Structure formats: structure tokens, C-alpha cells
Amino acid sequence: MSYPSDVTNEPWALLEPVCNPPGKRGPKHGEGMRKVVNAMIYISHTGCQWRYLPATFGPWTRVWSQIRRWSRNGTWARALAVLHEAAREADGRAEATPSMLVINTHLAPGSSNGGLTFHDRGGPYGRTKGAKRVVAVNVTGPPVGALVVPAFTHEDKTTQLMLQHLTEQGVSGRLELVLVDRGVTAAAARELGRDHYLELRRVGWDDKQPVFRPIRHAWRVEVAHSRLGRARRLAKSFENTTASATGWLQIACIATTLRHLSRPGTRRPPRLSRHEARSTSARNAGAF
């Protein structure tokens, strides 16, 4: 039985080298790894509990152990970077990495009971007990980076962690401009800009209004958070560790990027070499 959330052949060709890398004696994992990935995306979409996972995905214990392993070793972050590159190519962008990003956070209430947890109070006036989800979004829509930190973490620190994460994933080589909200202090914006050799621009409205007013380019991250909210696994922060919570957020970002790639109007040109991409960059000078 197939489900609407199952990964199709073309995206799986991109994900398989990341999820099942070759070793000295062939692939590190056995057959059926695609079924395991489909199970993880299914849980992300539906919020299904582990023991209620349909038997068509195989034993739930295998899926559970695999997602723990991948959440800790950064597999999901690498998979998201690969799909983001494919999304830029499908959108007709000349370069594989963006020159402009938008970073913003979203507070999610926690639901864990007992034991050690990172769900400390934070947010405005320290009223929210949960986790803070940090997402970096390309101006075309797909997310390129996602992290989860305790709710009490200041915006200065969350932005610093995200920039470090993007650097580790190799997607910040062309980065020139990053938009953040005014929760980031001006001093921190200047310091982070100097450290990462880019412009960190604080955006927002000077006057407060009771209605939402989009800011050019910055509204993309609000749309991204809204789309991620459709994943029922993210209805609350059900996890007890930041690594596990980050893994589920990155899985939801991957599912969002897969939907972006499956749009009817999305172009899928052949992959260009670096030399060919540079030769066409003049015709795409206006693209971020």
C-alpha cells in the first residue's frame, strides 16, 4: 500500500546516497531503507504514535532506532541541503547555494512530562514553556536549515547557531545578506555580520498595527513556519532532547521541499556543471 507522503523515484535518487551511503562492503544499511524514510515522513505528516505505525512500513522499532541515529549524526541536515539545491535548480536558479536568506524563530509549546527536558520557560515575558524552532528560508520558499533550541534562548544566540549550522552544511559560501527580525540586537547583528562576512539586516515595522503586514522577502519565513505547522508531529514539541526535536523539524522541512519539487509548474532542467553555471550567471544576475 502506498501513501501520499511516500517519496517518489526522482527525489529518492537524491536522498539515497545520503540515507544509505556506500561503505567498504557496499551500502551501510540493508534493503528497504526507502520504506524507513517513507515511515518517518508519514509520522511527520500524521502525528502517528510509534506503536500505531502501519505494518506496511515494517517494524516500528527499526524506524525508531534509525531516526534516533540520523538525528544525532546530522543525516537529515545533509538531506535537506541536497534537496534545497535540487529545488533551486528546479526553480531555474543559476547557483546551487543562495546569496540571501531569511532567519526567524517560532515558539512551540512543550508536552513532555517528567525526566530531563529542555522545555524551560522562554519567549515574551517567559510565559511559554516549550521549544524554539529556528528556520532559515530561501527567498523562493524552501527551507535550507532548521534547528531546535530551548525556548529561553535569546534571538542573538539562535541566529548565531543557525549561521554556524549553515556554514557546517556548506550552504553559506555565496551568502551576502541575511534578514532577521528586531528581536536580534543591533550590536549582535553587527558582530555576527563581521564574523561571517555578510550583512545581517534587522527588518520590521516602526509602528505596531493589529493586522499582519508582510515585509518584502521576510514574509517567506512566516509562510514556511505556517507550512511546517501542518505537520501534526510538530503540533507540540513532544521530544525530550534538542537533537530529536531538530530531527523531526528537519524531516518536516524535507517534506515541504518535496512538495515544492512536485508542483506542476516546477521546471526540472538538467543539472549544470560549475563551469556551465558560471557562464549562465550573467543572464540570471537578478536571481538571489
Side-chain angles (χ1 to χ4, degrees), residues 43-267:
I43 295 176
S44 173
H45 276 300
T46 64
C48 171
Q49 295 179 340
W50 284 113
R51 287 171 176 80
Y52 290 87
L53 185 67
T56 54
F57 293 115
W60 68 267
T61 51
R62 184 191 182 191
V63 182
W64 175 79
S65 61
Q66 195 62 56
I67 193 174
R68 287 192 64 192
R69 188 177 299 112
W70 284 348
S71 297
R72 293 176 179 178
N73 64 17
T75 297
W76 291 122
R78 293 190 294 273
L80 181 58
V82 169
L83 289 180
H84 180 264
E85 180 178 342
R88 286 184 60 85
E89 181 182 0
D91 290 336
R93 301 290 172 166
E95 299 288 346
T97 56
S99 62
M100 176 181 176
L101 290 176
V102 188
I103 298 177
N104 199 3
T105 61
H106 171 73
L107 282 170
S111 64
S112 299
N113 298 318
L116 297 176
T117 176
F118 65 94
H119 294 154
D120 296 327
R121 293 188 181 275
Y125 308 104
R127 294 174 180 173
T128 302
K129 186 176 183 179
K132 182 175 289 188
R133 294 167 180 161
V134 194
V135 176
V137 177
N138 189 3
V139 293
T140 58
V144 63
L147 294 173
V148 177
V149 296
F152 62 84
T153 309
H154 195 271
E155 297 296 319
D156 296 351
K157 184 64 175 179
T158 61
T159 305
Q160 178 187 2
L161 292 174
M162 176 54 71
L163 291 175
Q164 292 175 353
H165 174 71
L166 295 175
T167 301
E168 293 171 357
Q169 298 305 316
V171 296
S172 62
R174 294 182 60 245
L175 201 56
E176 299 176 359
L177 175 62
V178 176
L179 302 182
V180 295
D181 64 17
R182 295 188 178 180
V184 179
T185 62
R190 290 192 297 269
E191 182 178 355
L192 290 174
R194 289 193 302 266
D195 293 342
H196 293 272
Y197 303 100
L198 51 82
E199 179 186 357
L200 200 68
R201 184 181 302 172
R202 301 164 65 243
V203 295
W205 298 106
D206 294 328
D207 57 324
K208 294 184 178 181
Q209 295 290 339
V211 296
F212 173 73
R213 293 179 295 170
I215 302 174
R216 186 170 182 261
H217 298 312
W219 63 272
R220 292 285 188 178
V221 74
E222 302 295 341
V223 174
H225 279 298
S226 177
R227 289 173 177 170
L228 291 173
R230 299 174 186 173
R232 297 195 175 186
R233 181 74 187 195
L234 302 184
K236 289 186 177 182
S237 185
F238 296 100
E239 317 307 320
N240 279 329
T241 64
T242 54
S244 178
T246 297
W248 282 113
L249 179 60
Q250 290 170 346
I251 292 173
C253 289
I254 288 172
T256 300
T257 308
L258 291 174
R259 288 195 296 269
H260 181 85
L261 287 170
S262 64
R263 294 181 307 171
T266 302
R267 298 189 297 120

Side-chain angles (χ1 to χ4, degrees), residues 266-277:
T266 302
R267 298 189 297 120
R268 289 176 172 80
R271 186 177 296 273
L272 301 177
S273 65
R274 291 178 178 267
H275 177 72
E276 292 172 330

